[in-house]
Amino acid sequence: MEENVRIKSVKLLSDNWYVLKTTTFDLKRRDGRWQTMSRETYDRGNGAVALLYNSTRRTVLLTRQFRFPAYVNQHDGYLIEAPAGLLDEAHPEQRMHAELEEETGYKVEQLRPVFDVFMSPGSVTERLHFFVGEYHAGSKIGSGGGLEQEGEDIEVIEMDADKALAMTASGEIMDAKTIMLLQYLHLHLLPPRSMMILVAGPYRSGTGDDPARIAANVAAMESFVLPLYRKGHTPVLGEWLALPVLHAAGSQGVGDAVYEEIFHPHCERLLAHCDAVLRIGGASAGTDAMVAAARKRGLLVYHDLDQVPAV
């Protein structure tokens, strides 16, 4: 095997908790020249993480605990995570079973490996082994919570899997390993579910408030209704619900005071009852505001009908 790295010196900087070193080495560049450089590495050993899920109830088991490094980086420190731990020379699956019992109080028969990755290869040597496993009511054998003598005070959280995925979009779940496992769960393990999908596109934009052109915009949005329905979802337009309210409130036409009071706020209220948004059509500040509000709520946002899964 061709030599690409020549270690010149290694200096121990700290071994107070884990091992921090600075290494000077020569690296062979792609053009064949050798370049000398120094890098610090933090060696905390390798680890494992597992996401437990219940496919029938579409739930996941997560934990919440205090993480001081997050606290010192403009966060309250309490992160929602999948259970994880260092291997301490144990086999990854064996270690993960023990961590699950300690942290969650659940014992599962089987863990399936899905990834083996470097999480922060610019400075940390750790390889993290990812697992998924299915749990049920009979899997609970204890209260979990971690080991107090190790400073652990872990809250166990069972939540809807779709809500958990939405929390990755809203920023409520910020842990990388957990986000990866939740995405894997939805891509590969959980069947698609029927969703209420708001079809959002230009209404007044580009029409000059011409009724015929506004009607054409509505027709363009409605052209997606039947395809979404045939994919197993419940499509809805904000206009279907907002326009009757405008009529009841005495609006005399688009753009009047009653319209401005009701139309967009009413459509945004509808988002609270939707699971996703399908953004169609051209430029529209109002539609873009709806999409931004949907993302803030953690809703899925599609930009093409082909992106929407069939149930």
Side-chain angles (χ1 to χ4, degrees):
M1 183 176 179
E2 183 181 0
E3 182 184 30
N4 293 313
V5 180
R6 297 171 180 166
I7 304 297
K8 301 182 73 173
S9 65
V10 179
K11 181 180 180 181
L12 178 66
L13 301 178
S14 173
D15 61 356
N16 184 50
W17 187 250
Y18 299 116
V19 179
L20 179 64
K21 298 177 181 178
T22 183
T23 302
T24 301
F25 59 95
D26 292 334
L27 178 67
K28 190 175 184 180
R29 298 178 62 87
R30 288 178 297 163
D31 62 8
R33 292 182 296 119
W34 289 86
Q35 182 179 11
T36 300
M37 57 185 69
S38 293
R39 294 290 185 270
E40 289 186 1
T41 55
Y42 189 54
D43 185 354
R44 59 192 301 271
N46 296 327
V49 58
L51 179 65
L52 298 186
Y53 69 98
N54 185 301
S55 58
T56 303
R57 297 172 54 225
R58 292 184 71 92
T59 55
V60 292
L61 283 178
L62 299 173
T63 65
R64 181 188 283 113
Q65 60 180 309
F66 181 75
R67 298 295 198 184
F68 185 73
Y71 175 77
V72 299
N73 194 11
Q74 301 180 349
H75 191 275
D76 66 8
Y78 287 92
L79 294 182
I80 298 175
E81 308 175 40
L86 295 177
L87 299 185
D88 295 328
E89 306 301 326
H91 184 275
E93 185 174 346
Q94 177 188 19
R95 181 64 243 164
M96 198 61 245
H97 276 289
E99 285 291 336
L100 287 169
E101 293 181 30
E102 289 176 9
E103 294 192 4
T104 70
Y106 280 75
K107 181 177 182 178
V108 295
E109 294 181 2
Q110 184 178 8
L111 290 173
R112 181 157 67 87
V114 292
F115 304 127
D116 177 12
V117 301
F118 291 101
M119 292 297 290
S120 187
S123 57
V124 181
T125 64
E126 180 185 22
R127 293 174 68 141
L128 194 60
H129 302 268
F130 285 67
F131 297 91
V132 291
E134 190 149 12
Y135 75 96
H136 50 80
S139 303
K140 187 173 177 60
I141 61 170
S143 58
L147 302 177
E148 184 176 351
Q149 62 268 30
E150 294 184 3
E152 294 179 328
D153 182 18
I154 299 172
E155 177 186 359
V156 183
I157 307 170
E158 183 180 45
M159 70 168 61
D160 178 83
D162 299 295
K163 178 182 179 181
L165 183 64
M167 290 171 70
T168 68
S170 67
E172 295 169 272
I173 293 179
M174 299 181 66
D175 175 65
K177 62 184 182 294
T178 306
I179 293 172
M180 292 168 67
L181 281 170
L182 287 170
Q183 291 176 339
Y184 180 89
L185 176 70
H186 283 80
L187 285 172
H188 300 288
L189 299 177
L190 291 183
R193 65 184 180 91
S194 181
M195 297 182 286
M196 179 175 285
I197 300 178
L198 175 67
V199 182
Y203 178 66
R204 292 177 65 193
S205 299
T207 68
D209 290 342
D210 175 16
R213 298 175 73 181
I214 289 176
N217 278 346
V218 174
M221 288 185 276
E222 289 180 337
S223 69
F224 289 85
V225 167
L226 186 57
L228 286 171
Y229 179 81
R230 286 178 171 163
K231 284 194 168 199
H233 304 292
T234 302
V236 62
L237 270 65
E239 288 75 9
W240 290 349
L241 302 179
L243 294 178
V245 178
L246 287 173
H247 177 74
S251 174
Q252 299 301 305
V254 294
D256 67 11
V258 175
Y259 177 95
E260 296 297 338
E261 174 196 357
I262 293 174
F263 185 78
H264 283 294
H266 194 282
C267 292
E268 289 195 14
R269 286 186 190 180
L270 178 58
L271 287 174
H273 304 280
C274 294
D275 304 294
V277 172
L278 174 60
R279 168 62 160 102
I280 64 107
S284 169
T287 306
D288 290 340
M290 288 281 287
V291 169
R295 291 190 188 280
K296 188 174 181 180
R297 287 181 174 271
L299 303 187
L300 298 169
V301 176
Y302 302 107
H303 292 272
D304 190 285
L305 185 63
D306 291 338
Q307 295 176 338
V308 181
V311 178

